Amino acid sequence: MSTASVERPHGDRPLIAEANQVMDRLPGYRVEIIAGTIVVTPPANFAHARALSRLRSPFIAAGLGGGDSEVTEGVGLWLPGGAEDYAIPDLVVVDADIEDHLVENNCYDPIAFRLVLEVTSSNYQNDLRAKVTAYAQAKIPVYVIVNRQHQRLHVLTDPAGDTYASHRVHAPGETVTLPESIGAKVTLDVEAILKAGQPKAN
């Protein structure tokens, strides 16, 4: 049974109320609460969007976009690390029944998430540090980071407390096969993804 969505404002959730006010003032910005801190990310550039578009293809081709799973962007993930914490990953693979797992503020229980993926932006340290802790605490099985600043692709698996037991870093020229626990065999071309995420030279 689905839970009814909780509408703004959140009088009993002061951080969420403040985050929602920021969203209202800054349309197009991504607003999250990580470890009790409001994190505001400016709209992504075109190269970021292009990388995400290219990334969707192998997941869809593997059959994850329908049936018992969905591949999508901009889905709120409720985090257990703080009373009001939530994140909005760039791309997710989720169970098809995710709408049965609504918590509040249009965010869903981590149990419905098989994979989260972030393409780094200007605040890339957040993806490489704070979100590693947050997603591990939420027991997200697979966390993928497209690190545009350092031209690497990170695959983190086996959440253990506030970190991941396995953190593999891949360079251009490699191909990476993600754990089949996400529901299918998905192979990523590191160089192609990183190239898609680089702005075109003027």
Side-chain angles (χ1 to χ4, degrees):
M1 182 172 82
S2 294
T3 308
S5 177
V6 177
E7 296 298 323
R8 294 185 279 185
H10 290 265
D12 59 336
R13 300 281 203 181
L15 271 180
I16 289 177
E18 185 178 345
N20 288 338
Q21 288 173 0
V22 172
M23 278 194 292
D24 290 341
R25 288 195 312 268
L26 301 171
Y29 282 66
R30 181 169 59 172
V31 181
E32 303 166 296
I33 302 174
I34 310 292
T37 300
I38 295 175
V39 178
V40 181
T41 305
N45 62 18
F46 181 76
H48 182 283
R50 181 174 55 224
L52 274 178
S53 294
R54 301 278 164 80
L55 277 159
R56 285 178 64 93
S57 298
F59 290 97
I60 299 299
L64 291 170
D68 68 349
S69 62
E70 294 289 345
V71 180
T72 191
E73 301 168 28
V75 175
L77 166 61
W78 192 256
L79 297 169
E84 301 180 67
D85 285 8
Y86 68 90
I88 306 171
D90 286 323
L91 184 119
V92 297
V93 178
V94 295
D95 294 338
D97 70 349
I98 187 169
E99 291 175 285
D100 295 335
H101 299 283
L102 180 67
V103 178
E104 67 175 274
N105 201 43
N106 292 325
C107 295
Y108 297 86
D109 192 305
I111 197 169
F113 290 74
R114 301 178 184 187
L115 171 146
V116 297
L117 184 148
E118 300 283 6
V119 176
T120 60
S121 297
S122 55
N123 59 352
Y124 67 94
Q125 294 290 353
N126 198 45
D127 295 329
L128 294 168
R129 294 183 181 161
K131 284 191 174 180
V132 170
T133 299
Y135 293 153
Q137 290 173 343
K139 295 183 173 43
I140 302 300
V142 181
Y143 176 28
V144 177
I145 307 167
V146 179
N147 185 343
R148 297 191 298 159
Q149 282 69 20
H150 300 107
Q151 290 294 284
R152 295 290 184 265
L153 186 139
H154 304 247
V155 179
L156 294 83
T157 58
D158 305 315
D162 61 359
T163 191
Y164 282 86
S166 175
H167 182 166
R168 298 185 183 274
V169 182
H170 302 276
E174 295 183 61
T175 57
V176 179
T177 300
L178 299 177
E180 291 191 39
S181 62
I182 65 173
K185 183 176 180 179
V186 175
T187 300
L188 303 177
D189 180 328
V190 176
E191 185 167 6
I193 292 166
L194 291 170
K195 185 177 179 181
Q198 291 304 303
K200 301 245 187 242
N202 291 329

